[in-house]
Amino acid sequence: AQFDLKGSTRGRKAKAGESVLKDNDWTEQGRKVELPVGLKRRVNSAVEDDARFLAAQGVLDYSLLIGVHDTQAAHKGRLCRGVELVTKAVQH
């Protein structure tokens, strides 16, 4: 599943047939992002940097696209590919 998260609940539910879900769908499904502490800090720092840059440019819109996949591998203790991608993106 893919989610487009904006941090808002107003009008943030996917319509029937839409493949990308939204904030209220995330909440209703009880979803959470659990990251190791170090990775969480790096992701938070990257989001804060992005927000500062966008604010300086006068851009008010910000979305976080999250893809959820291979949850069985994550439960077996293997690193989920999505977390690997986030790690690589944040390190560069």
Side-chain angles (χ1 to χ4, degrees):
Q2 289 184 339
F3 294 86
D4 175 20
L5 304 178
K6 292 188 179 281
S8 173
T9 56
R10 187 174 183 167
R12 299 295 301 156
K13 183 159 179 67
K15 294 177 180 64
E18 288 184 326
S19 60
V20 177
L21 304 175
K22 299 179 181 175
D23 299 70
N24 289 330
D25 304 302
W26 177 274
T27 303
E28 288 171 7
Q29 291 181 18
R31 301 266 188 175
K32 294 180 182 181
V33 175
E34 295 181 16
L35 301 173
V37 174
L39 178 57
K40 181 178 179 179
R41 286 187 190 125
R42 291 193 305 262
V43 170
N44 283 342
S45 178
V47 170
E48 289 171 2
D49 290 346
D50 288 351
R52 276 191 293 277
F53 171 78
L54 294 171
Q57 303 302 312
V59 177
L60 299 175
D61 195 323
Y62 189 94
S63 293
L64 181 62
L65 182 63
I66 296 178
V68 178
H69 62 92
D70 201 10
T71 55
Q72 294 303 316
H75 289 297
K76 293 177 184 171
R78 292 180 292 192
L79 187 60
C80 182
R81 177 133 173 81
V83 173
E84 291 174 339
L85 294 175
V86 168
T87 303
K88 290 176 186 170
V90 171
Q91 289 175 346
H92 295 294

